[in-house]
Amino acid sequence: MPNKVEEFNAYRAKMNDKLLAENNKLIKRIFNLDTNAFMEGALDVKTKELLGLVASAVLRCDDCVKYHLESCKKAGANKEEVMETLGIATLVGGTIVIPHLRRAYEYWEDLEES
């Protein structure tokens, strides 16, 4: 069975490379803005990634949720912090977020195993 985390990261990297190779100034600036927004600042990286996770879940972007789950883990977030964050996202987003909550939980388990 393929590793879901590795599969997601490989696809994301491949497609980001293709998009950035197009040399579209607007796309490059958006990627740069995103990178810089999640750097250490008045808020630490872990807090920013948890905020990104809430926004991604509320907006129902599974790829974004996966990205921020992985970034949260790298920033030192634990399962309890992630679950509390996803609880807030579900409260704010409503029951329509529950399918994304399920997939987020499953992906977090995959991250813990890898």
Side-chain angles (χ1 to χ4, degrees):
M1 183 165 69
N3 180 310
K4 293 177 190 176
V5 174
E6 289 174 7
E7 189 176 284
F8 172 73
N9 285 320
Y11 173 77
R12 184 175 172 276
K14 177 181 91 172
M15 294 310 298
N16 283 352
D17 288 347
K18 286 184 176 189
L19 288 167
L20 293 171
E22 289 296 318
N23 207 26
N24 180 299
K25 187 184 249 184
L26 179 59
I27 290 173
K28 285 185 173 192
R29 286 186 175 176
I30 290 169
F31 272 58
N32 184 271
L33 180 63
D34 182 68
T35 298
N36 284 298
F38 285 92
M39 289 181 160
E40 190 86 22
L43 296 174
D44 60 85
V45 172
K46 182 171 82 170
T47 300
K48 288 182 175 187
E49 291 299 341
L50 291 167
L51 289 168
L53 180 58
V54 168
S56 298
V58 170
L59 292 170
R60 302 185 304 273
C61 175
D62 285 334
D63 279 6
C64 302
V65 167
K66 288 176 181 178
Y67 173 80
H68 286 291
L69 282 170
E70 197 161 338
S71 296
C72 285
K73 186 158 180 36
K74 287 178 185 172
N78 61 40
K79 184 176 184 177
E80 293 75 24
E81 291 169 320
V82 167
M83 291 307 301
E84 189 167 323
T85 299
L86 289 169
I88 297 295
T90 306
L91 173 68
V92 172
T95 57
I96 197 167
V97 174
I98 291 173
H100 304 277
L101 173 64
R102 289 183 195 118
R103 288 188 289 273
Y105 189 88
E106 180 181 31
Y107 196 75
W108 183 262
E109 287 182 326
D110 292 340
L111 287 169
E112 287 183 321
E113 289 174 11
S114 60

